[in-house]
Amino acid sequence: MIVLLVVLCITDGVLAQIRYSVPEEADHGILVGNIAEDLGLDLTKLASRRFQVVPSSRTPYLEVNLENGVLFVNEKIDREQICKQSASCQLNMEVFLENPLELFRVEIEVVDINDNPPSFPETDITVEISESAVPGTRFPLESAFDPDVGSNALRTYDITTNNYFYLDVQTQTDGNKFAELVLEKPLDREQQAAHRYVLTAVDGGQPPRTGTALLVVKVLDSNDNVPVFDQPVYTVSLSENAPVGMLVIQLNATDMDEGLNGDIVYSFSNHISNRVKDLFSIDPRTGRIEVRGEVDFEESSLYQIFVQAKDLGPNAVAAHCKVLVKVTDLNDNAPEITFSTVTESVSEKAAPGTVIALLSVTDLDAEENGQIHVEIIGDVPFKLKTSFRNYFTIVTDGPLNREQADSYSITVVARDKGTPSLATSKSIRVQVSDENDNLPTFTQPIYDVYVTENNVPGAYIHAVTALDPDIGLNALISYSILECDIQGMSVKTYVSINEETGYLYALRSFDYEQLKDFTFMVQAKDAGTPELSTNSTVKVIIVDQNDNAPLVLAPLGKNGTAKEPLPRTAEPGYLVTRIVAMDADDGENARLSYSIQRGNENGMFRMDWRTGELRTARRVSAKRDPHQLYDLLIEVRDHGQPPLSSSASVLVMLVDSVAEGRGVGNRGGTAKAKEGTLDLTLILIIALGSVSFIFLLVMIVLAVRCQKDKKLNIYSCLTSECCLGCSSCCSRQARARKKKLTKSDIMLVQSAGNVSGAGTAQVPVEESGSFGSHHQNQNYCYQTKHQRAELSYLVDRPRRVNSSAFQEADLVSSKDSGHGDSEQGDSDHDATNRGHSSGKKRSAAGADLFSNCTEECKALGHSDRCWMPSFGPSDGRQGPDYRSNLHVPGMDSVPDTEVFESPELTADQSFSTFGKETPLSHQHLHHHLLKNHHHQQGSLERKEFVPYNPAYLTRKRVC
């Protein structure tokens, strides 16, 4: 056995051809070869790579063991039965492996053995020859048939040795051999009427095999003339598929005799094949050869027809000729497409050049009719590649995307070049297998989920959706929430998600006032390999519900009732109070409106429904308003659905003055108001305290610097004969030399009224923020003559304060001399010394007012005791508040200050103007108060009464 291996490499696979030979008549189980070993394949991987035979190439004569690749004979092979007289006999088989695709073509040549002897159609062959035949005359003999081919076929003929005849063996165009009997010596019928010889056919096998027949030669009486053909060999062309009855050739033979001796009969010779007799017929009388059967070029392209002509006379001798019929090919066979293997599916990740299918194309026609052009039609990502001979492979021609096309129909068209051209097409469908090459994609990058507060825990709130264009497990999406913290707690305590559907559920009841919104990430992950995932943001927005009623913050009073004073002299529009309320809700649910529900039957008040300001709608009338109290019920209502409301009770009291009403109202409500608002202002107090502490540190640093500069200034002032230790004094030395102040330039002004023996007066003072500040004040004011023109404003703020508080406040306010840090002996340094000195001065009522400003003034220049009076009023009575008669220099107006008439002020009190007493009538003061009151009508809030400290005015120094 011969093994021939031919390997051709193709893209993403190997196409190899291996050839074996096996003798015919081999018994079952005879080993032909081992395909796997001969191709160098790994025997251990044959099963995993699904080594198998292409079904269309299977043959019953051979079998392959798929486990080890052994090729063996399955049935006895008879070459003559399979291949007839073909010169070569070959069986084809195709095997392939998967992962990757490797295709192998196996050709098995069936080798002929000399198992058939030559044989003649008949055992007795009779030849009639006229005695008048001349030597050299040829007589064709019937041929023997040997089904073997090649060297085992018929090689020659032999005849028994004799003196009259010999054999001339000739070879036909198809390789077949035939014998002609040649007359070597004239015959004489009278001597011998018949001759008998053994005709032997010998093949070329080893050993040779023979076949014999008895050749009988009859010698006939003389017939002067024999028929003669126009030519011994005729050549004609016949188109294949010629219709039955079509003329092939018209033969013509002539005989010089007359009568029956001249009548000719045509017939086929005895040694022509039966197939020729099936395809052609001859008219015995005319010699017309016609088509009898279906002539096929693919079966045979040449036919030899032996014809003999013989007259009807006695002892007729036949004449012979040969007709060569050449069959011309017609394009009557369309190409045939055979798919050897087809991959049912290809991965969308397959690289370009991946083998999808292997096919072969054949055309039985010849020349141009058998030349084939193969192509793939349609716009598909595949192409054809020529392998060898008539084999083609279909490979990928670009990237595949299952999401765009999950399958392709590949149509292969084979077209020959004949006229007319014939074509054949075959289609295969290839599925594109999915790969996990697509991320899940959410329908939205950000989901805004609105959830109304006070929801039921476990309620469905939204659904997130992700899409994956893949299929199967690659598109099976699971949802999860990525871990994060919300207000210090895991997001999974707030919401949950159904991992299959993406439904979101609230795990708790949300409160808008505690949490307005929160954000978390949702992940969608497929089940492919490898797993692919993507994230999306979910923002949960809590929608406010009107679940909080308004809360009244101010005014606050005892037992829920706030007391507010209303002066009887209040003008229309006077701000009584302002209702301050808040709502923990948002939007319309927190927009508040205010209204008076009860107690305003006589229309005394009006309420601003937006700001909550309660103002007077008219003047207080004694007739219409005989009662002293107004019990008002104020309703605060939000604009939610449904609206919620709260109420506040305000008790408005008619008072003769603001001070009286403040004293009544603040005693009961101050402490409670502070207690109620402490928590709201705690942060503000801490912030202000921090700022104050920083400011105090800065002031301490500046004070240390000023102390150093002050010592230098004192020395400079003393050398310049200045009695006041201020830096401005030194800077104005030139003017001081031109004009010096004398005691006549300084006047002591005493307010009208009596002064107590202690030299103090109870001055009611109100401080903002409900904290009282008490000041001990002197009843004297010192001014220079040049400052008289600056008096322009009157401040009056009556309030009752106990005298002990005044003494404490005076001790604080009188310490500062207005010139920085105090020196030894200054009033800022020792308040006790000042008190002791003042006592001494009161005892000496008739002493000089400036007797103390002698040596000390020269030494220090700025002691308060230089300017403090040494005595009180001579009558010892307590005078009225000196602030009623104090004109503040340089002050034309005091913003945000309401001035009311003190009940202690009388018409005979005067305005102190340093030596000039100007009467201040009650009518003038009332007019001034009304003017200032009208100036305050447009204010949204009632201004606080700011206390005025006269110490800063009375302690002004001049040198």
Side-chain angles (χ1 to χ4, degrees):
M1 291 180 288
I2 299 174
V3 179
L4 177 63
L5 177 63
V6 179
V7 179
L8 298 176
C9 294
I10 61 175
T11 305
D12 278 352
V14 175
L15 180 59
Q17 176 177 293
I18 187 170
R19 301 187 69 178
Y20 295 99
S21 63
V22 58
E24 65 172 332
E25 305 296 336
D27 294 331
H28 170 76
I30 294 297
L31 177 66
V32 178
N34 192 311
I35 298 175
E37 289 183 354
D38 295 338
L39 291 174
L41 301 178
D42 188 353
L43 299 179
T44 61
K45 296 183 179 180
L46 293 180
S48 62
R49 295 185 61 187
R50 297 183 62 189
F51 179 69
Q52 55 188 302
V53 179
V54 177
S56 61
S57 67
R58 288 185 179 277
T59 173
Y61 302 104
L62 300 170
E63 189 61 55
V64 178
N65 188 327
L66 301 179
E67 295 181 357
N68 54 24
V70 171
L71 177 66
F72 59 92
V73 176
N74 188 44
E75 290 183 11
K76 183 178 289 188
I77 303 173
D78 186 353
R79 182 192 177 284
E80 290 73 31
Q81 182 181 357
I82 298 173
C83 303
K84 301 288 188 292
Q85 294 300 113
S86 298
S88 77
C89 183
Q90 181 176 292
L91 298 177
N92 298 322
M93 181 180 292
E94 293 162 356
V95 295
F96 68 94
L97 293 138
E98 297 180 353
N99 303 320
L101 176 65
E102 291 182 299
L103 180 69
F104 307 99
R105 179 180 174 87
V106 181
E107 295 181 354
I108 302 95
E109 181 184 6
V110 180
V111 180
D112 183 49
I113 63 174
N114 194 19
D115 59 339
N116 293 288
S119 61
F120 289 94
E122 298 177 4
T123 57
D124 294 335
I125 301 173
T126 302
V127 177
E128 295 178 347
I129 302 174
S130 174
E131 62 178 342
S132 61
V134 297
T137 305
R138 294 176 175 270
F139 301 96
L141 300 177
E142 289 191 17
S143 300
F145 175 73
D146 192 338
D148 295 329
V149 294
S151 60
N152 297 322
L154 179 66
R155 182 175 61 84
T156 188
Y157 292 92
D158 286 335
I159 192 172
T160 306
T161 305
N162 62 84
N163 296 324
Y164 294 97
F165 302 96
Y166 67 91
L167 292 178
D168 183 12
V169 180
Q170 297 185 13
T171 303
Q172 298 180 5
T173 56
D174 58 358
N176 292 327
K177 296 181 182 299
F178 68 94
E180 288 182 342
L181 185 64
V182 181
L183 181 63
E184 187 176 14
K185 182 180 179 181
L187 298 174
D188 186 355
R189 181 179 179 278
E190 287 72 17
Q191 291 182 2
Q192 187 176 350
H195 300 266
R196 289 177 173 82
Y197 305 105
V198 176
L199 181 64
T200 303
V202 182
D203 62 24
Q206 292 298 331
R209 305 186 72 168
T210 60
T212 60
L214 178 61
L215 176 61
V216 178
V217 179
K218 290 182 180 183
V219 180
L220 302 177
D221 191 13
S222 176
N223 189 351
D224 297 339
N225 297 294
V226 295
V228 177
F229 286 98
D230 296 337
Q231 56 190 62
V233 178
Y234 296 88
T235 302
V236 295
S237 295
L238 177 65
S239 176
E240 69 171 328
N241 302 327
V244 175
M246 183 178 179
L247 176 65
V248 177
I249 189 173
Q250 176 70 56
L251 295 178
N252 185 34
T254 60
D255 194 328
M256 301 303 295
D257 295 330
E258 296 180 355
L260 293 178
N261 294 334
D263 293 338
I264 300 174
V265 177
Y266 301 91
S267 64
F268 293 134
S269 299
N270 292 331
H271 62 274
I272 66 171
S273 65
N274 293 327
R275 181 57 180 165
V276 172
K277 294 178 181 178
D278 293 337
L279 295 177
F280 304 99
S281 65
I282 187 170
D283 190 328
R285 302 297 298 176
T286 62
R288 178 185 176 92
I289 299 177
E290 296 179 352
V291 176
R292 181 182 179 183
E294 183 178 355
V295 180
D296 189 358
F297 174 85
E298 288 72 37
E299 181 181 349
S300 177
S301 60
L302 178 66
Y303 292 95
Q304 298 183 64
I305 305 174
F306 295 94
V307 180
Q308 66 181 10
K310 185 169 59 174
D311 59 30
L312 298 178
N315 304 318
V317 177
H320 297 85
C321 73
K322 180 170 64 176
V323 179
L324 297 178
V325 180
K326 294 183 178 180
V327 181
T328 59
D329 182 39
L330 291 180
N331 194 21
D332 60 339
N333 292 281
E336 292 183 1
I337 301 174
T338 303
F339 282 94
S340 299
T341 180
V342 176
T343 301
E344 294 182 357
S345 65
V346 58
S347 171
E348 61 177 330
K349 292 177 63 177
T354 302
V355 178
I356 303 302
L358 177 68
L359 59 96
S360 61
V361 181
T362 56
D363 194 324
L364 299 178
D365 295 324
E367 299 179 353
E368 289 188 353
N369 295 333
Q371 296 179 6
I372 307 169
H373 173 71
V374 185
E375 63 179 350
I376 295 177
I377 62 173
D379 185 14
V380 292
F382 301 96
K383 66 179 181 179
L384 277 173
K385 292 191 68 175
T386 303
S387 297
F388 64 96
R389 291 187 182 178
N390 57 340
Y391 276 86
F392 300 87
T393 55
I394 300 176
V395 298
T396 57
D397 191 30
L400 304 177
N401 191 337
R402 191 208 62 81
E403 288 71 39
Q404 295 180 359
D406 59 355
S407 65
Y408 291 94
S409 177
I410 305 174
T411 301
V412 179
V413 175
R415 188 183 305 275
D416 61 29
K417 296 182 179 180
T419 303
S421 177
L422 299 178
T424 301
S425 64
K426 274 192 175 183
S427 298
I428 60 173
R429 179 164 291 277
V430 177
Q431 302 291 331
V432 180
S433 60
D434 184 48
E435 295 289 340
N436 194 23
D437 57 346
N438 290 280
L439 291 170
T441 303
F442 282 95
T443 56
Q444 297 177 220
I446 299 177
Y447 290 87
D448 290 333
V449 180
Y450 293 88
V451 180
T452 304
E453 66 171 331
N454 303 321
N455 57 289
V456 178
Y460 164 85
I461 58 175
H462 200 69
V464 295
T465 303
L467 304 177
D468 194 325
D470 295 325
I471 58 174
L473 292 177
N474 297 332
L476 184 60
I477 299 175
S478 60
Y479 301 90
S480 62
I481 297 176
L482 298 183
E483 186 62 49
C484 67
D485 288 342
I486 299 174
Q487 293 184 344
M489 298 184 67
S490 172
V491 66
K492 295 182 180 179
T493 64
Y494 286 79
V495 291
S496 66
I497 191 170
N498 187 309
E499 64 176 11
E500 295 180 357
T501 62
Y503 289 174
L504 290 170
Y505 300 93
L507 297 181
R508 60 174 62 186
S509 180
F510 299 123
D511 188 353
Y512 176 83
E513 288 71 37
Q514 295 181 2
L515 181 64
K516 291 181 172 54
D517 60 71
F518 61 92
T519 302
F520 60 92
M521 301 289 289
V522 175
Q523 184 181 78
K525 180 170 59 179
D526 60 30
T529 303
E531 294 180 341
L532 300 179
S533 63
T534 188
N535 299 334
S536 181
T537 300
V538 178
K539 183 176 183 181
V540 178
I541 303 170
I542 312 301
V543 179
D544 183 39
Q545 270 190 339
N546 192 24
D547 58 344
N548 291 281
L551 175 64
V552 178
L553 301 178
L556 295 176
K558 188 175 181 180
N559 297 327
T561 300
K563 295 181 180 180
E564 296 293 338
L566 175 62
R568 294 183 182 275
T569 59
E571 294 293 330
Y574 174 81
L575 178 62
V576 178
T577 187
R578 181 183 179 186
I579 308 299
V580 179
M582 65 167 290
D583 195 316
D585 294 323
D586 196 13
E588 287 295 305
N589 296 331
R591 189 165 66 90
L592 305 179
S593 61
Y594 304 84
S595 63
I596 302 174
Q597 295 296 313
R598 188 188 65 202
N600 194 29
E601 289 77 7
N602 56 2
M604 180 63 195
F605 305 96
R606 60 181 174 86
M607 173 67 73
D608 191 322
W609 67 275
R610 293 184 181 88
T611 64
E613 292 180 350
L614 180 65
R615 295 180 179 272
T616 57
R618 57 180 176 82
R619 287 189 176 90
V620 179
S621 173
K623 294 181 180 181
R624 296 180 60 183
D625 306 295
H627 44 277
Q628 298 292 325
L629 298 176
Y630 292 92
D631 188 5
L632 302 180
L633 181 63
I634 309 299
E635 182 187 58
V636 183
R637 180 182 297 268
D638 60 29
H639 287 74
Q641 292 298 328
L644 301 178
S645 63
S646 298
S647 60
S649 178
V650 178
L651 189 62
V652 181
M653 301 176 296
L654 290 178
V655 296
D656 293 334
S657 65
V658 175
E660 179 183 353
R662 292 299 176 200
V664 174
N666 288 337
R667 281 194 298 265
T670 301
K672 189 171 183 179
K674 286 185 180 180
E675 181 182 356
T677 59
L678 181 59
D679 56 341
L680 300 177
T681 59
L682 180 59
I683 298 177
L684 181 61
I685 291 173
I686 294 174
L688 291 177
S690 301
V691 173
S692 300
F693 177 72
I694 296 173
F695 178 74
L696 180 60
L697 292 178
V698 174
M699 293 302 296
I700 292 174
V701 174
L702 293 177
V704 172
R705 285 190 176 183
C706 289
Q707 184 176 12
K708 295 179 180 180
D709 295 340
K710 185 175 178 181
K711 293 180 180 179
L712 295 175
N713 291 337
I714 293 173
Y715 175 77
S716 299
C717 288
L718 289 176
T719 58
S720 302
E721 297 180 356
C722 288
C723 62
L724 187 63
C726 59
S727 62
S728 61
C729 175
C730 297
S731 65
R732 293 184 229 169
Q733 290 180 3
R735 284 189 300 173
R737 293 190 185 97
K738 291 181 181 180
K739 183 176 180 179
K740 295 183 179 180
L741 294 177
T742 61
K743 291 183 180 181
S744 62
D745 294 326
I746 302 174
M747 299 183 66
L748 176 63
V749 182
Q750 180 179 0
S751 300
N754 298 326
V755 182
S756 64
T760 59
Q762 293 183 353
V763 182
V765 178
E766 180 184 359
E767 292 289 344
S768 62
S770 302
F771 293 98
S773 296
H774 310 288
H775 303 274
Q776 183 179 5
N777 299 281
Q778 301 293 337
N779 289 322
Y780 299 92
C781 180
Y782 300 89
Q783 292 289 343
T784 63
K785 292 181 180 181
H786 300 288
Q787 293 172 323
R788 295 179 184 177
E790 297 178 358
L791 304 175
S792 62
Y793 197 78
L794 179 64
V795 178
D796 185 5
R797 199 92 191 263
R799 190 168 180 178
R800 292 173 299 193
V801 184
N802 57 63
S803 58
S804 62
F806 271 88
Q807 293 172 2
E808 283 183 343
D810 186 56
L811 184 61
V812 176
S813 64
S814 61
K815 277 189 177 183
D816 185 14
S817 64
H819 297 278
D821 297 336
S822 300
E823 298 291 341
Q824 182 69 28
D826 193 351
S827 61
D828 293 347
H829 175 72
D830 190 1
T832 306
N833 293 337
R834 184 191 62 189
H836 179 71
S837 178
S838 297
K840 290 181 180 181
K841 290 177 184 179
R842 283 191 214 100
S843 63
D848 190 354
L849 293 173
F850 305 101
S851 59
N852 291 331
C853 189
T854 56
E855 298 300 329
E856 184 183 10
C857 185
K858 293 179 181 180
L860 300 177
H862 63 283
S863 177
D864 284 350
R865 285 181 286 181
C866 294
W867 305 104
M868 288 299 176
S870 305
F871 57 88
S874 59
D875 53 3
R877 294 174 300 169
Q878 180 178 347
D881 186 5
Y882 70 91
R883 302 181 196 189
S884 301
N885 298 319
L886 180 60
H887 194 184
V888 182
M891 300 288 289
D892 291 336
S893 63
V894 179
D896 301 333
T897 303
E898 294 182 7
V899 181
F900 293 89
E901 177 184 357
S902 173
E904 298 176 2
L905 186 64
T906 60
D908 58 349
Q909 291 176 340
S910 62
F911 180 57
S912 300
T913 58
F914 296 96
K916 182 179 178 182
E917 184 173 305
T918 303
L920 181 62
S921 64
H922 183 80
Q923 290 80 6
H924 290 163
L925 180 58
H926 182 68
H927 175 72
H928 182 76
L929 293 175
L930 291 179
K931 182 177 180 181
N932 186 43
H933 181 69
H934 288 302
H935 178 70
Q936 300 295 326
Q937 288 298 324
S939 175
L940 295 178
E941 297 182 1
R942 185 179 58 206
K943 307 299 181 179
E944 294 292 342
F945 296 98
V946 180
Y948 188 78
N949 189 351
Y952 296 103
L953 297 177
T954 60
R955 292 184 297 178
K956 185 173 182 180
R957 279 84 175 170
V958 291
C959 291

